[in-house]
Amino acid sequence: MTLDTVADVLAGTCLISGALLSLAAGVGLLRFPDLLSRMHAATKPQVLGLLLILAGTALRLRTTVDITTLVLIGVFQLATAPVAAHMVGRAVYRSGQVRADLLVVDELAEDRAGADPSQR
């Protein structure tokens, strides 16, 4: 086996496993009961799935310009997905649309109860 064959097999493995993780994220969006669970399903496996797809693509293309572009895409995804998920979760919690029966621990309940409604 040559190095190209090994790289192609690794690329195929990364692409398939990344696609399966992205599919799992989509299924989680449909199956989970509340927005916080859906948000978790949308960020965790989706980001890892995208990184695996980018790694598989980088193994397949093997040019400096393409790999640099793929690395930038991965870095921006890692920088923006957690921030966006945090902001969505925060907005949903502050608006009171969280299902309290699904929370195991609500560490912000005291802060929310004592907060001035005009400052929300």
Side-chain angles (χ1 to χ4, degrees), residues 11-56:
T13 304
C14 286
L15 288 170
I16 290 171
S17 51
L20 289 174
L21 276 171
S22 296
L23 177 67
V27 170
L29 282 173
L30 295 174
R31 299 282 304 173
F32 285 152
D34 66 330
L35 188 107
L36 294 179
S37 300
R38 289 180 186 152
M39 183 181 59
H40 179 77
T43 54
K44 303 289 182 182
Q46 185 267 338
V47 170
L48 181 58
L50 177 70
L51 291 177
L52 284 171
I53 289 173
L54 293 175

